[in-house]
Amino acid sequence: MQVKSLQASPEQLKNLEDKPQPVAAEFLGTLLLVFFGVGAAVLAAEYVGSLGIALTFGFVMLALAYAIGPISGSHLNPAVTLGMFLAGRLDLELAVKYWVAQLVGGIAGAALLFLVAKQVPGLQTSETFGSNGFGDRSAVHINTGGAFVAEMVLTFLFVYTVLAVTHKVAVVGFDGLPIGIALAVVHLVGIPLTGTSVNPARSLGPAIFAGGAALTQLWMFIVAPLVGGAIAAYVHVLTHPQPNRRPRREMRVS
């Protein structure tokens, strides 16, 4: 049986780097993921519960995978981009552009959501606002170590799934379906624990507007997902054939 290459060609990478659309797509996609996903937690949690919030994240991710997946890969998450970079599918320059677009998009999405939330009488946003947390800010009061392990493992599952179902940079065909399902599943498990980050961009925006403990605990939801994404990239190399994998020094695109 012939094994498909999991490596993006230099021509594909150069095509992404030379055009503004992939970076713009990552900005817009992250903005929408935060607005709708975190919005379900901020505006509709009383009506949809944890299941509804998890499904919102999963369905939005699924929709965006089909909408912008062929353009940018629909990472919408610095941990996914890190995994793609370590797997040799993105050049560092493009990865940095994606990270900036995702973080700015996450802040912009949270800003729009904050504007809407302020129009709802009596809605609490200070130190909450869909932000992630542990200890007293966790529904089950998970401690620091437990929160770190949980976020790392949840992110591992999500990033590993993305790497396993995509063959190059873009999301094509039915690739978006398992990605959306994986994001919904990690939210079902993670919401009672930490509110589920698995995405530094998703955590940064809400924390800025929540303030207080949401900001002091933010480090957890940046570091743990990145560690999980990095581990996923290396485990993926062990479990999936990489017939055309090249040393990173050969990844440069002239």
Side-chain angles (χ1 to χ4, degrees), residues 207-225:
I208 289 174
F209 292 93
L215 277 174
T216 60
Q217 294 186 353
L218 178 61
W219 66 270
M220 169 76 73
F221 306 105
I222 295 175
V223 177

Side-chain angles (χ1 to χ4, degrees), residues 41-115:
V42 173
L43 302 173
E46 179 182 351
Y47 307 99
V48 302
S50 296
L51 176 60
I53 296 168
L55 291 177
T56 300
F57 271 100
F59 284 147
V60 172
M61 188 72 226
L62 175 59
L64 292 171
Y66 285 108
I68 64 174
I71 300 171
S72 71
S74 192
H75 298 182
L76 318 183
N77 182 339
V80 172
T81 299
L82 177 63
M84 287 284 187
F85 168 69
L86 294 176
R89 302 192 199 176
L90 286 181
D91 193 76
L92 179 59
E93 180 181 352
L94 183 58
V96 170
K97 291 179 181 178
Y98 271 27
W99 285 326
V100 172
Q102 291 156 0
L103 293 175
V104 175
I107 295 171
L112 285 175
L113 179 60
F114 187 75
L115 179 63

Side-chain angles (χ1 to χ4, degrees), residues 17-252:
E17 288 182 346
D18 288 347
K19 294 183 177 180
Q21 288 88 350
V23 176
E26 285 296 304
F27 167 80
L28 177 61
T30 310
L31 183 158
L32 293 172
L33 181 68
V34 169
F35 182 86
F36 285 99
V38 180
V42 173
L43 302 173
E46 179 182 351
Y47 307 99
V48 302
S50 296
L51 176 60
I53 296 168
L55 291 177
T56 300
F57 271 100
F59 284 147
V60 172
M61 188 72 226
L62 175 59
L64 292 171
Y66 285 108
I68 64 174
I71 300 171
S72 71
S74 192
H75 298 182
L76 318 183
N77 182 339
V80 172
T81 299
L82 177 63
M84 287 284 187
F85 168 69
L86 294 176
R89 302 192 199 176
L90 286 181
D91 193 76
L92 179 59
E93 180 181 352
L94 183 58
V96 170
K97 291 179 181 178
Y98 271 27
W99 285 326
V100 172
Q102 291 156 0
L103 293 175
V104 175
I107 295 171
L112 285 175
L113 179 60
F114 187 75
L115 179 63
V116 173
K118 282 302 181 182
Q119 313 312 309
V120 180
L123 184 66
Q124 176 87 17
T125 57
S126 178
E127 297 196 37
T128 55
F129 195 56
S131 57
N132 303 113
F134 52 89
D136 291 340
R137 302 187 68 250
S138 161
V140 297
H141 298 278
I142 192 170
N143 62 25
T144 305
F148 191 96
V149 172
E151 284 290 332
M152 182 177 66
V153 174
L154 293 173
T155 308
F156 170 87
L157 172 62
F158 181 62
V159 176
Y160 182 82
T161 299
V162 174
L163 290 171
V165 303
T166 57
H167 292 295
K168 301 190 189 301
V169 177
V171 178
V172 296
F174 290 100
D175 294 350
L177 188 58
I179 293 172
I181 291 173
L183 189 59
V185 167
V186 300
H187 275 82
L188 285 172
V189 176
I191 285 173
L193 302 177
T194 62
T196 310
S197 170
V198 304
N199 183 342
R202 172 261 182 268
S203 296
L204 175 63
I208 289 174
F209 292 93
L215 277 174
T216 60
Q217 294 186 353
L218 178 61
W219 66 270
M220 169 76 73
F221 306 105
I222 295 175
V223 177
L226 292 177
V227 172
I231 294 174
Y234 286 112
V235 172
H236 179 262
V237 171
L238 298 177
T239 60
H240 288 68
Q242 311 283 319
N244 298 322
R245 185 175 177 84
R246 294 164 289 165
R248 185 156 301 281
R249 63 178 176 272
E250 297 179 13
M251 280 290 297
R252 292 181 183 177

